[in-house]
């Protein structure tokens, strides 16, 4: 079986999540000799809303207790809130990019129009591909600043770098369009200094992008709280809610940069009693793995009092605080590098980005006025070798990175994925990479005014493309719990 259709046992996502069943037939990736980039999970029989007939399955779905500190989960429901929708089925979609960015995607079948909502077994948040959700996502970009989240830092740093490159493009291109606007040393000083600053910011962002890639949560993270609605309009349904406090990704831990990731669950089983009208179930891969499966028993003295007991806790399913999935690391081990990371599309794309940015930084350094003037005075070949060639080679690294990031989101190498945010990020970065590479390729044609104009113009549209891609990436990293409608074509792929 090709490598892209199965996971290594030690790297299978959500392998400790007792409430999800992986669908092996949907494990896939675009390149046969690399790891899978997507997988699908169905809810297990414990969440089956239909009555069970077999003797070994309880008639009432068992409950997995929620940690008490997860106070963001609403405990009482008397009617279906407006910000929820009924669904006939719910599954979890794992994508390698989402896992790296700390995202948790639900795939649902919404209730068909003109159908009685009481027939739907699940309640979920609304679909996130609507205009309203997009506007809320843009609002988050101006109101949420998770400075401890490396994915947010990467997006913001690349956005700032792209803004600097847009400024650089105006300095070097505008004099060709309207010479009357040129001021003394605009191209040499304004263009040279902004090129150095922009290249340096891109290098910093690329280093953090690489660190992000080696801190992927290999155990996977479910990231949703599940509760059983006992009273009200949604009585008897299973409700799915985002559970950020129970998330096992490092993105929620404010102490990442001092060396340790967050172990988001307590591995010791606990009994709990609640009088609420809804029961919180599995919150994340780590919390549900530690909790196991519990029995629901009604109290004789109070119909609303429910006692939850943990049973059959498997010690092999407990989170290991020293495992790579629960600790922060700056460098992977050689074993992890050769057995896992070099087979990960996201890691290879990040590596290509870092190598490209490091080489491209040389052209940023030699763009400084004093260095650039000295190279020009020495010889054209010196300028070509130290300034233009690193731009071509670095831009080529950006092109490879953009292609790999796009491939990571696709079912196969030839089918685009325009419904995935990550695909658009890779596409815009690819366009920007072509612009920067074209600038370097045309730059040595010093005597051709048309080539010089096109070289400056390529920097202009390439910078804007990088800016668009960075802004979409900023939006993506804050949209941590996307809800998507099932695509029959995608599932069949």
């Amino acid at each position: 079986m090709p490598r892209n259709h199965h996971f290594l046992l030690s790297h299978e996502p959500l392998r400790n999540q007792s409430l999800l069943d992986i669908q092996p037939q949907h494990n896939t990736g675009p390149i046969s000799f690399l790891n899978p980039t997507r997988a699908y999970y169905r809810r297990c029989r414990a969440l089956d809303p239909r009555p069970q007939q077999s003797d070994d399955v309880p008639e009432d779905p068992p409950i997995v207790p929620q940690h008490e500190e997860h106070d963001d989960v609403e405990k009482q429901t008397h009617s279906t809130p407006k910000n929820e929708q009924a669904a006939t089925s719910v599954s979890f979609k794992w994508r390698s990019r989402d896992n790296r960015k700390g995202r948790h995607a639900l795939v649902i079948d919404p209730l068909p129009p003109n159908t009685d909502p009481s027939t739907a077994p699940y309640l979920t948040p609304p679909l996130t591909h609507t205009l309203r959700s997009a506007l809320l996502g843009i609002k988050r970009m101006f109101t949420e600043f998770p400075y401890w989240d490396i994915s947010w830092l990467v997006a913001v740093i690349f956005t700032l770098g792209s803004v600097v490159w847009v400024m650089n493009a105006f300095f070097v291109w505008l004099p060709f369009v309207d010479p009357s606007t040129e001021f003394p040393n605009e191209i040499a000083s304004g263009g040279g200094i902004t090129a150095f600053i922009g290249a340096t910011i891109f290098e910093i962002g690329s280093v953090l992008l690489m660190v992000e890639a080696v801190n992927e949560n290999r155990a996977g993270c479910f990231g949703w709280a599940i509760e059983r609605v006992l009273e009200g309009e949604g009585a008897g349904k299973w409700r799915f809610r985002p559970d950020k406090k129970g998330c096992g990704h490092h993105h929620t831990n404010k102490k990442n940069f001092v060396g340790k990731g967050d172990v988001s669950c307590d591995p010791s089983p606990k009994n709990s009693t609640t009088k609420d009208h809804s029961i919180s179930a599995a919150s994340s891969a780590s919390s549900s793995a530690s909790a196991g499966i519990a029995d629901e028993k009604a109290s004789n003295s109070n119909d609303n009092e429910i006692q939850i007991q943990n049973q059959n806790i498997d010690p092999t399913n407990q989170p290991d605080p020293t495992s790579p999935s629960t600790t922060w690391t700056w460098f992977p081990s050689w074993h992890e590098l050769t057995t896992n990371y070099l087979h990960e599309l996201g890691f290879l794309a990040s590596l290509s980005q870092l190598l490209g940015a490091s080489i491209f930084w040389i052209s940023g350094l030699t763009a400084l006025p004093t260095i650039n003037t000295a190279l020009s005075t020495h010889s054209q070949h010196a300028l070509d070798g130290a300034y233009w060639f690193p731009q071509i080679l670095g831009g080529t690294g950006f092109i490879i990175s953009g292609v790999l990031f796009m491939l990571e989101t696709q079912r196969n190498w030839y089918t685009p994925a325009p419904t995935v945010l990550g695909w658009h990020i890779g596409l815009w970065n690819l366009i920007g990479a072509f612009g920067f590479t074209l600038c370097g390729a045309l730059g040595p044609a010093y005597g051709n005014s048309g080539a010089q104009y096109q070289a400056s113009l390529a920097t202009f549209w390439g910078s804007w493309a990088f800016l668009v891609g960075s802004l979409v990436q900023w939006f993506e990293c804050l949209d941590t719990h996307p809800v998507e409608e099932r695509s029959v074509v995608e599932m069949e792929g």
Side-chain angles (χ1 to χ4, degrees):
M1 179 184 295
R3 185 176 181 123
N4 65 333
H5 287 297
H6 68 92
F7 292 96
L8 296 178
L9 183 61
S10 59
H11 294 87
E12 180 182 313
L14 301 170
R15 56 189 176 275
N16 294 330
Q17 174 55 263
S18 57
L19 294 182
L20 296 174
D21 291 333
I22 192 170
Q23 306 295 296
Q25 67 273 23
H26 296 304
N27 295 344
T28 185
I31 301 179
S32 61
F33 55 85
L34 297 181
N35 292 338
T37 57
R38 61 176 58 200
Y40 287 88
Y41 295 79
R42 298 282 192 182
R43 86 283 182 274
C44 69
R45 298 178 70 186
L47 292 184
D48 196 334
R50 297 167 298 180
Q52 302 291 344
Q53 302 299 327
S54 60
D55 296 333
D56 58 339
V57 179
E59 182 177 356
D60 293 327
I63 304 297
V64 177
Q66 178 84 354
H67 290 298
E68 296 176 0
E69 64 269 24
H70 296 171
D71 53 5
D72 58 317
V73 179
E74 183 180 325
K75 296 292 186 177
Q76 185 168 351
T77 300
H78 295 287
S79 62
T80 304
K82 294 182 180 179
N83 61 343
E84 289 185 324
Q85 69 175 19
T88 58
S89 71
V90 178
S91 59
F92 182 80
K93 178 161 62 174
W94 180 91
R95 286 183 292 230
S96 57
R97 181 180 178 90
D98 285 347
N99 187 51
R100 197 168 60 252
K101 299 292 181 180
R103 306 177 81 230
H104 322 81
L106 279 186
V107 181
I108 69 170
D109 284 317
L111 194 68
N114 303 321
T115 304
D116 183 5
S118 63
T119 62
Y122 306 106
L123 293 175
T124 70
L127 295 171
T128 53
H129 56 62
T130 62
L131 176 60
R132 181 177 181 274
S133 296
L135 294 176
L136 289 176
I138 294 174
K139 178 183 177 182
R140 283 194 296 267
M141 295 172 66
F142 292 95
T143 58
E144 297 183 13
F145 308 98
Y147 57 88
W148 59 86
D149 182 353
I150 195 170
S151 296
W152 183 83
L153 289 175
V154 167
V156 171
I157 288 173
F158 275 119
T159 299
L160 294 176
S162 300
V163 169
V164 173
W165 277 111
V166 169
M167 295 170 57
N168 168 272
F170 275 106
F171 284 134
V172 300
W173 179 62
L174 196 57
F176 287 99
V177 179
D178 189 358
S180 64
T181 63
E182 184 177 3
F183 56 83
N185 297 320
E186 177 179 359
I187 296 178
S189 298
I193 293 174
T194 52
F196 173 73
I197 296 173
T200 302
I201 295 176
F202 268 26
E203 175 70 7
I204 296 172
S206 299
V207 170
L208 292 180
L209 188 70
M210 196 68 192
V211 175
E212 176 194 59
V214 300
N215 279 280
E216 60 165 352
N217 190 323
R218 291 192 303 278
C221 175
F222 182 44
W224 293 87
I226 308 175
E227 41 182 50
R228 182 73 159 177
V229 182
L230 299 183
E231 284 189 0
E233 197 171 315
K237 301 181 186 297
W238 290 102
R239 169 180 286 131
F240 288 76
R241 289 185 178 276
D243 183 25
K244 293 184 179 181
K245 290 188 178 180
C247 177
H249 285 108
H250 61 77
H251 302 74
T252 58
N253 178 35
K254 298 183 180 181
K255 298 181 180 180
N256 282 329
F257 291 103
V258 296
K260 280 292 184 180
D262 183 29
V263 181
S264 58
C265 64
D266 181 359
S268 61
K270 296 180 180 179
N271 295 338
S272 60
T273 301
T274 178
K275 295 184 179 181
D276 297 315
H277 299 298
S278 62
I279 302 301
S280 295
S283 63
S284 67
S286 55
S287 60
S288 64
S290 65
I293 297 296
D295 290 335
E296 179 181 345
K297 297 183 179 180
S299 171
N300 295 329
S301 59
N302 192 329
D303 292 337
N304 291 331
E305 187 177 40
I306 298 174
Q307 184 174 4
I308 306 171
Q309 295 180 338
N310 292 291
Q311 294 184 353
N312 301 326
I313 301 297
D314 184 357
T316 63
N317 284 342
Q318 307 309 318
D320 180 5
T322 63
S323 70
S325 63
T326 55
T327 60
W328 177 266
T329 182
W330 292 99
F331 303 99
S333 66
W334 179 254
H335 175 75
E336 286 291 331
L337 186 66
T338 55
T339 60
N340 180 57
Y341 288 114
L342 290 180
H343 299 276
E344 288 282 344
L345 258 176
F347 177 85
L348 296 176
S350 301
L351 178 62
S352 178
Q353 172 73 26
L354 177 60
L355 294 176
S358 300
I359 297 172
F360 194 88
W361 185 85
I362 299 174
S363 66
L365 177 65
T366 54
L368 290 171
T370 53
I371 300 178
N372 196 269
T373 301
L375 290 172
S376 301
T377 303
H378 185 272
S379 70
Q380 181 176 334
H381 293 297
L383 185 64
D384 291 344
Y387 178 65
W388 294 113
F389 182 71
Q391 191 166 341
I392 298 172
L393 192 57
T396 302
F398 293 158
I399 291 175
I400 296 173
S401 175
V403 170
L404 293 180
F405 276 131
M406 290 175 66
L407 286 175
E408 186 187 20
T409 64
Q410 299 179 185
R411 288 202 322 273
N412 46 56
W413 66 268
Y414 55 84
T415 304
T419 60
V420 181
L421 280 177
W423 186 84
H424 289 277
I425 295 169
L427 175 63
W428 284 105
N429 287 341
L430 178 62
I431 295 173
F434 273 118
F436 278 31
T437 306
L438 183 61
C439 174
L442 296 175
Y446 301 103
N448 190 319
S449 59
Q452 294 301 304
Y453 176 88
Q454 291 297 333
S456 301
L457 179 60
T459 300
F460 182 82
W461 55 260
S463 302
W464 279 103
F466 274 127
L467 180 58
V468 172
S470 299
L471 288 172
V472 177
Q473 187 173 2
W474 190 344
F475 179 97
E476 175 198 40
C477 74
L478 294 176
D479 182 24
T480 56
H481 290 80
V483 180
E484 306 171 6
E485 187 172 359
R486 188 182 314 280
S487 168
V488 177
V489 174
E490 181 172 323
M491 290 299 294
E492 290 178 350

